[in-house]
Every structure is written in C-alpha cells, then in structure tokens.
Amino acid sequence: MGNSALKAHLETAQKTGVFQLTGKGLSEFPEDLQKLASNLRTIDLSNNKIEILPPLMGKFSVLKSLALNNNKLTALPEELCKLKKLETLHLNGNHLTQLPATFGQLLALKTLSLSGNKLRTVPTQLCSLRHLDVVDLSRNQIQSVPDTVGDLQTIELNLNQNQISQISVQISHCPRLKVLRLEENCLDLSMLPQSILSDSQISLLAVEGNLFEIKKLRELEGYDKVCRR
C-alpha cells in the first residue's frame, strides 16, 4: 500500500476520529497513526498480517474501539493496558496464548472478543474488569474453568468450541452472568455444576455438542429454574 493512500486515510481519520484499513496485507502497525493519538476513537486494522503491536499503542488516550481481527499477533504489549477509555476490543483469529499481566487496568472495557486464539485458560485478569458485558473466548484451547471465574463480572460468557471437561462450581457465583455458552466441549453431565441450574443468575445455558444428551440435562432438578429466570 502506497504512502499517498495511507496519507488519504490519515486525513479522513483526522476529521472523523475513525481509522479503518482492513484487508490490505499490512505487516506492521502504521506508525504514522501516532500523529492522531489524541483524537482517534476507533481503529480497525482487521484482516491484515500484523505480528507485533508497538509500545506506542499506549498513546491513544481517547480510543474507545480497537479491532485487530484475523492478524498474526502472538502477544500484546503491556502499553495496550494504558487505554483507559477502551470499551471494545476485538482480537479474534490471532495466535494469542495469554494476556498482559496488567490487562485488568482496562477498566472501561465492555466487550472483549478473543475467539480463535490459543488461550489455554480463562485469563484471571478479566476478574478486575467491572463493566464487562460480553466475553468471547470461543474456539481456543481451554480445558478447564478455574475457581477465579466466580469473580467475573460479565453478562455473557462464550466458551463454545474449546476442550473443557471441568468447570468450577464458582461459576454459579458470577454476580451478573446471564448467558453461558459451552457448546461443543468435552463435558460430562456429572461435570456440570448443579448450582448453575439451581443457584445462579444464568437464564440461557447453551451446552449442545458435549458428552451428554440435552434430554438428560432437562431431567435434572433445577433445570426449570433456568427457564423461569
């Protein structure tokens, strides 16, 4: 992509606060973007070939939405966690194995999409985020859901298409969790905590494609409570 084309995109972004450059084969984050660090609210660089995000990411002080779906990211810089206004972060289809230790500092975050990465666990950093509405961790390599999940504040948690065979009973203590998606995992009915049915806020439980028949789930005591909620 030529400099003149990039310059035109930058000029548009200066007026609109939105920079969108998708599917252009970019191999790195455009450094010229930092000239607009104080007025960009949205950046979308999805469907490129970006492998590394530079530390200058931390300069985008008013950024509300960042999309880098379908790139080649293997890690995120700690500086990303300085984006105090960031509400939406889409990182689907990358090669991420973990999140930065300071990820819990993204206090404004409402929507987090990490579908199709290489995460092996539910990141504990998410428990610090009090305004989460949707967390999508589908299509990763998660095998179990740990006790720390009980502190998660999200309304919807998508864990579809992982390798989950164990779930902590603490998941029923999530104060705001209404929608729990666990389709196409490795769950036995005996490994699904009964308290999800009888003693949680969950009103939509999606568990098709596991190691049990849905009919058996419907026969369990407490299933009708999910329907009523």
Side-chain angles (χ1 to χ4, degrees):
M1 182 176 160
N3 279 346
S4 57
L6 181 58
K7 196 175 171 195
H9 277 279
L10 286 169
E11 284 172 6
T12 304
Q14 193 157 13
K15 294 173 193 153
T16 62
V18 177
F19 185 84
Q20 185 174 32
L21 200 56
T22 59
K24 298 293 182 189
L26 293 180
S27 58
E28 51 189 44
F29 187 89
E31 299 240 331
D32 283 350
L33 266 188
Q34 63 185 312
K35 295 172 186 169
L36 305 178
S38 59
N39 67 340
L40 276 185
R41 291 185 308 281
T42 299
I43 296 175
D44 186 353
L45 291 166
S46 297
N47 304 314
N48 283 294
K49 297 174 182 174
I50 299 169
E51 295 181 22
I52 294 172
L53 290 182
L56 62 85
M57 287 304 307
K59 295 181 180 178
F60 293 89
S61 55
V62 294
L63 195 66
K64 283 193 164 185
S65 175
L66 176 60
L68 286 151
N69 296 324
N70 304 316
N71 277 278
K72 297 187 173 183
L73 298 171
T74 55
L76 302 174
E78 293 280 346
E79 287 81 3
L80 181 74
C81 307
K82 294 177 180 172
L83 303 179
K84 299 289 185 237
K85 299 277 178 76
L86 194 67
E87 294 180 3
T88 305
L89 180 57
H90 292 294
L91 295 164
N92 301 323
N94 281 282
H95 307 296
L96 300 170
T97 56
Q98 59 185 29
L99 299 180
T102 51
F103 197 83
Q105 293 175 10
L106 291 171
L107 295 177
L109 203 61
K110 293 180 179 175
T111 301
L112 174 63
S113 298
L114 287 161
S115 179
N117 278 280
K118 296 184 175 177
L119 298 172
R120 291 185 171 274
T121 186
V122 177
T124 54
Q125 298 94 313
L126 303 186
C127 298
S128 306
L129 303 173
R130 296 297 182 215
H131 300 289
L132 282 178
D133 291 331
V134 178
V135 175
D136 186 354
L137 299 174
S138 62
R139 296 172 46 237
N140 277 278
Q141 297 166 13
I142 299 169
Q143 296 179 358
S144 64
V145 180
D147 288 349
T148 47
V149 75
D151 294 322
L152 201 57
Q153 297 285 329
T154 189
I155 294 171
E156 176 170 344
L157 178 60
N158 186 344
L159 292 165
N160 289 347
Q161 291 180 289
N162 278 282
Q163 299 155 20
I164 297 168
S165 59
Q166 287 188 305
I167 301 180
S168 168
V169 68
Q170 296 298 323
I171 199 162
S172 55
H173 297 162
C174 293
R176 301 169 71 223
L177 189 61
K178 297 270 195 295
V179 178
L180 178 59
R181 302 186 186 279
L182 288 162
E183 295 181 338
E184 295 181 49
N185 277 284
C186 308
L187 279 169
D188 251 324
L189 191 55
S190 61
M191 287 295 162
L192 194 68
Q194 292 269 312
S195 53
I196 289 178
L197 304 178
S198 58
D199 189 26
S200 76
Q201 302 294 315
I202 296 165
S203 55
L204 193 158
L205 177 63
V207 287
E208 285 82 1
N210 279 281
L211 307 179
F212 58 86
E213 293 177 40
I214 295 300
K215 184 174 71 180
K216 298 278 187 212
L217 173 68
R218 293 187 182 130
E219 289 167 3
L220 287 182
E221 191 178 342
Y223 181 78
D224 57 323
K225 287 189 178 177
V226 177
C227 304
R228 286 205 298 269
R229 285 196 293 263

